[in-house]
Amino acid sequence: MEITLFRHPGHFGRALALDVFANEQKVASIQSGATQTILLPDGEVTLRVEMEGVVSSPTLTVRPRLDGQHFECGTPLWVLFDFMSLCYLPYLKRRVFFLREVFSRDAPN
């Protein structure tokens, strides 16, 4: 299964690549502002992005479709206002990035 992933050019971790994990195996890395086509294993896949093994997105379950799928990842707004670095707490460190599906008409070029 092939997907397209766009990474928004946010402020948090802008200079570092995000690692893309499918079924807990690293399958790619993506730079800030980049769009990348990623080959995933066939069947249902768990997908997440992670930075340097410390902070990540929640896990997303991806089910195969015939028409291809587009996803985007980035930093949610709350992280910009995290002056106390709460993003490293166990609950929040898995929510420093978002990962979501976007539909073809909304997909970045």
Side-chain angles (χ1 to χ4, degrees):
M1 168 174 50
E2 195 173 83
I3 66 164
T4 302
L5 177 63
F6 170 70
R7 179 178 172 191
H8 289 275
H11 296 287
F12 186 83
R14 166 181 243 147
L16 301 173
L18 285 181
D19 294 326
V20 182
F21 288 85
N23 294 336
E24 297 305 316
Q25 299 292 317
K26 182 178 172 183
V27 293
S29 292
I30 187 166
Q31 296 292 330
S32 181
T35 299
Q36 189 168 339
T37 300
I38 301 169
L39 185 61
L40 299 178
D42 291 331
E44 189 173 279
V45 175
T46 59
L47 189 65
R48 70 182 169 85
V49 295
E50 179 179 283
M51 183 181 295
E52 304 228 323
V54 178
V55 292
S56 68
S57 70
T59 301
L60 181 67
T61 301
V62 178
R63 292 174 180 83
R65 290 199 323 238
L66 296 175
D67 60 348
Q69 292 169 286
H70 301 277
F71 293 86
E72 64 182 358
C73 63
T75 308
L77 192 57
W78 73 266
V79 175
L80 297 176
F81 299 102
D82 185 19
F83 302 113
M84 297 177 60
S85 294
L86 297 174
C87 66
Y88 297 105
L89 294 174
Y91 176 78
L92 294 176
K93 74 180 189 176
R94 299 199 190 280
R95 288 162 178 75
V96 171
F97 296 99
F98 65 83
L99 176 63
R100 61 184 170 224
E101 184 173 7
V102 291
F103 297 98
S104 295
R105 63 180 164 75
D106 299 328
N109 292 328

